């Protein structure tokens, strides 16, 4: 009489799977329900509560049902994940789950967000970058069900508008309380957003520490006036916001911000006057990115004397910067650990020699820089 492996008790299967590594356990879990239960029982016994799935070949519910105490689930790039698949996985409250990554799950819509808001009320981190079918209705559902949310990534969710940001910020209390505890909010490449969104954020999300508005072409200097008194804000990314100019930087500097990081790279209306404003009102910055801005040695001169705590300075593709600017940086920014000089074609060996003497310097980007023939001869 032959004995098949299917005759083994679940406890014995779990012992056998205990000799497999995590990857092989995942493969074994796809064979059948009994093997799945045994494999995930073993994962639980080892205390594994953070799971990343690179490709979904079976139902997501297999994973969810097998790990009752799961804390982090990363499904980033699972292109075949649908609302139906997620709906079958989330059928009851999962109080332990704190982080869910659905980035680039392009078939996910507001329907899934309804499930998440209903059953994952303890969620603190939600990644939806590239989920281009999410709309303002989805944000309303999030604002209704996920009051504990601390970090939300909505990168390239192209359908979102000021209305959706209003939901998050608690501007529609009759329908949803809002996610008023948010500390990090990424709105990169949300093209429909305007200054009204920034007004909502400033009024409702007072505890926000990080705000990414890069590539949001609809915001302007006037919107930055709303942000200028957000005392908790520490990092602001305005990269490639085409309508931001020196006036907007003035608004930020004249407010009560205590920023440690500011990125205005590729804002081609930002120039030397902005550096003067930064020196006056944003002198606590640790990181400043000005790549491709219209700044010169004069602007550097107006800034460096007040920025002694600066650690990272990115001025790549600022083609008006010369050795004089580098000498000013070397003289006054002694705490600098990293500098980007990519595409700064007017600097020479002389300026670089000064920069490399900075005592804390660890990172130096010199892409596209070439030594001149006269310097090679020396």
């Amino acid at each position: 009489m032959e004995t098949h492996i299917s005759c083994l008790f679940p406890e014995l299967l779990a012992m056998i799977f205990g000799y497999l590594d995590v990857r092989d356990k995942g493969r074994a879990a796809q064979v059948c329900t009994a093997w799945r239960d045994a494999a995930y029982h073993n994962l639980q016994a080892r205390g594994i509560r953070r799971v990343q799935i690179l490709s979904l070949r079976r139902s997501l519910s297999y994973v969810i049902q097998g790990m009752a105490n799961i804390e982090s689930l990363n499904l980033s790039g699972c292109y075949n994940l649908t609302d139906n698949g997620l709906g079958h996985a989330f059928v009851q409250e999962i109080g332990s789950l704190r982080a869910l990554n659905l980035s680039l799950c392009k078939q996910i819509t507001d329907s899934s967000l309804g499930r998440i808001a209903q059953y994952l009320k303890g969620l603190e981190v939600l990644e939806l970058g590239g989920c281009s079918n999410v709309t303002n209705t989805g944000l309303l559902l999030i604002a209704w069900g996920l009051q504990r949310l601390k970090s939300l990534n909505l990168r390239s969710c192209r359908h979102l508008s000021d209305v959706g940001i209003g939901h998050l910020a608690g501007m529609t209390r009759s329908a949803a309380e809002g996610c008023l505890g948010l500390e990090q909010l990424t709105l990169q490449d949300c093209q429909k957003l305007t200054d009204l969104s920034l007004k909502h954020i400033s009024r409702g999300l007072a505890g926000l520490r990080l705000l990414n508005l890069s590539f949001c072409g609809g915001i302007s200097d006037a919107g930055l006036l709303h942000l200028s008194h957000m005392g908790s804000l520490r990092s602001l990314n305005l990269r490639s916001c085409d309508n931001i100019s020196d006036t907007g930087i003035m608004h930020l500097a004249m407010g009560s911000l205590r920023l440690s990081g500011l990125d205005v790279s590729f804002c081609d209306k930002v120039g030397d006057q902005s550096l003067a404003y930064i020196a006056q009102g944003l002198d606590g910055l640790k990181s400043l990115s000005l790549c491709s801005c219209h700044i010169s040695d004069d602007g550097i001169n107006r800034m460096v004397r007040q920025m002694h705590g600066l650690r990272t300075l990115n001025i790549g593709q600022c083609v008006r910067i010369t050795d004089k600017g580098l000498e000013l940086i070397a003289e006054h920014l002694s705490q600098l650990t990293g500098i980007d000089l990519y595409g700064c074609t007017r600097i020479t060996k002389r300026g670089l020699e000064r920069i490399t003497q900075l005592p804390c310097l660890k990172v130096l980007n010199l892409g596209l820089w070439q030594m001149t023939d006269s310097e090679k001869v020396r």
Side-chain angles (χ1 to χ4, degrees), residues 49-66:
R49 298 182 178 182
R50 302 173 64 87
V51 176
Q52 179 177 9
I53 297 177
L54 302 179
S55 178
L56 272 177
R57 298 178 184 174
R58 295 274 184 124
S59 171
L60 176 61
S61 61
Y62 273 34
V63 178
I64 301 301
Q65 292 171 12

Side-chain angles (χ1 to χ4, degrees), residues 358-377:
L358 283 165
C360 301
L361 193 66
K362 296 179 180 178
V363 178
L364 173 61
N365 185 359
L366 289 174
L368 298 185
W369 179 80
Q370 289 184 333
M371 189 180 296
T372 63
D373 291 336
S374 61
E375 289 173 327
K376 292 177 183 177
V377 170

Side-chain angles (χ1 to χ4, degrees), residues 246-313:
D246 293 336
T247 301
I249 305 304
M250 178 190 70
H251 290 327
L252 295 178
M254 299 297 287
S256 54
L257 290 175
R258 294 181 291 166
L259 290 179
S260 59
L262 176 64
D263 189 344
V264 290
S265 298
F266 302 98
C267 295
D268 56 14
K269 296 177 182 177
V270 169
D272 287 340
Q273 186 58 52
S274 286
L275 299 192
Y277 292 138
I278 288 171
Q280 292 172 13
L282 298 172
D283 55 347
L285 285 172
K286 297 290 188 294
S287 174
L288 177 60
S289 294
L290 299 156
C291 296
S292 199
C293 292
H294 290 293
I295 61 172
S296 68
D297 297 337
D298 181 58
I300 296 294
N301 185 45
R302 299 165 75 177
M303 178 189 70
V304 290
R305 288 172 176 80
Q306 306 298 324
M307 306 291 292
H308 302 297
L310 200 63
R311 300 290 190 274
T312 302
L313 179 62

Side-chain angles (χ1 to χ4, degrees), residues 2 4 23 34 202 234 260 297 311:
E2 293 185 1
H4 192 267
R23 181 183 295 235
S202 67
R234 293 294 178 268
S260 59
D297 297 337
R311 300 290 190 274

